[in-house]
Amino acid sequence: MPADTFVTRLNEQIAHEFAAHQQYLAIAVHYDAETLPQLARFFYRQAVEERDHALMMIQYLIDADADVLIPGVAAPQARFGDIVAPVALALEQERRVTEQINGLAAAARETGDYTSEQFMQWFIKEQVEEVATMSDLLRVVERSKDDPMEIENFMAREFSGEEGDDPTAPHAAGAG
Ligand SMILES: [Fe+2]
Ligand SMILES: [Fe+2]
């Protein structure tokens, strides 16, 4: 059984993951409205991933017989000045989440809860990838901000394939 502090913090993290879902959805809709379908598609997919993260955490708490609180979420930023701003916001968000995830792993270790610490390992690895992806994307949109079609071509080239299922990913609640 995880310590109360870990349960509280993981519930807070569930709220952050749902907030990330809403933020990425708002970014996807923004790009869709700007007729940038490849950027939109990328962020629709990122949104689904964030929802999955929340559902993995929910499943963990259910399995541990701990309280799960489905949070309300504050409205995300929906208006952006240029093509770069949403990606800059996304990178900022991923960096913040990385700190939160590391904090959760540390909190688990402090109480000798190695099961929860191990649960957080997958998210630590995931954050390394997400920060790297978003940093790369920020470089691309900054370099080509005056040529959105160049960015769209890059997205189609680099992010067109369906991502395969990650067999090491924790089970998400409701995923069968
Ligand atoms: Fe996430
Ligand atoms: Fe993320």
Side-chain angles (χ1 to χ4, degrees):
M1 181 78 188
D4 287 351
T5 50
F6 183 82
V7 170
T8 302
R9 289 184 67 161
L10 192 57
N11 270 296
E12 286 165 8
Q13 192 60 37
I14 289 167
H16 296 320
E17 300 294 334
F18 278 125
H21 168 265
Q22 297 293 85
Q23 185 59 73
Y24 284 157
L25 207 47
I27 290 172
V29 167
H30 166 78
Y31 282 136
D32 231 348
E34 299 281 313
T35 322
L36 295 163
Q38 298 294 340
L39 274 167
R41 194 160 71 123
F42 173 80
F43 278 99
Y44 282 123
R45 279 196 198 166
Q46 289 301 123
V48 171
E49 283 193 20
E50 300 306 342
R51 184 175 181 275
D52 278 344
H53 296 165
L55 289 168
M56 289 169 190
M57 293 169 185
I58 288 168
Q59 183 67 58
Y60 183 77
L61 290 176
I62 290 171
D63 287 343
D65 246 337
D67 284 343
V68 183
L69 303 159
I70 300 302
V73 172
Q77 186 177 330
R79 303 246 177 270
F80 301 96
D82 59 26
I83 198 168
V84 175
V87 182
L89 181 73
L91 177 57
E92 207 179 286
Q93 177 172 279
E94 292 301 341
R95 288 197 171 129
R96 194 168 58 238
V97 169
T98 297
E99 282 176 26
Q100 291 161 349
I101 295 288
N102 288 335
L104 273 155
R109 183 178 293 192
E110 270 167 34
T111 55
D113 177 5
Y114 301 112
T115 309
S116 296
E117 188 190 349
Q118 195 187 35
F119 173 68
M120 297 314 299
Q121 292 306 312
W122 183 84
F123 293 94
I124 291 173
K125 177 180 69 80
E126 177 77 0
Q127 282 312 118
V128 172
E129 285 170 19
E130 296 210 336
V131 169
T133 301
M134 229 41 103
S135 306
D136 289 351
L137 184 54
L138 184 58
R139 260 194 299 278
V140 170
V141 293
E142 276 175 343
R143 193 169 56 216
S144 304
K145 59 175 177 286
D146 299 323
D147 186 3
M149 279 312 109
E150 177 65 28
I151 300 171
E152 285 289 280
N153 288 337
F154 172 84
M155 299 307 287
R157 239 181 7 251
E158 298 294 318
F159 298 105
S160 59
E162 290 295 320
E163 261 188 55
D165 275 348
D166 176 354
T168 66
H171 187 252

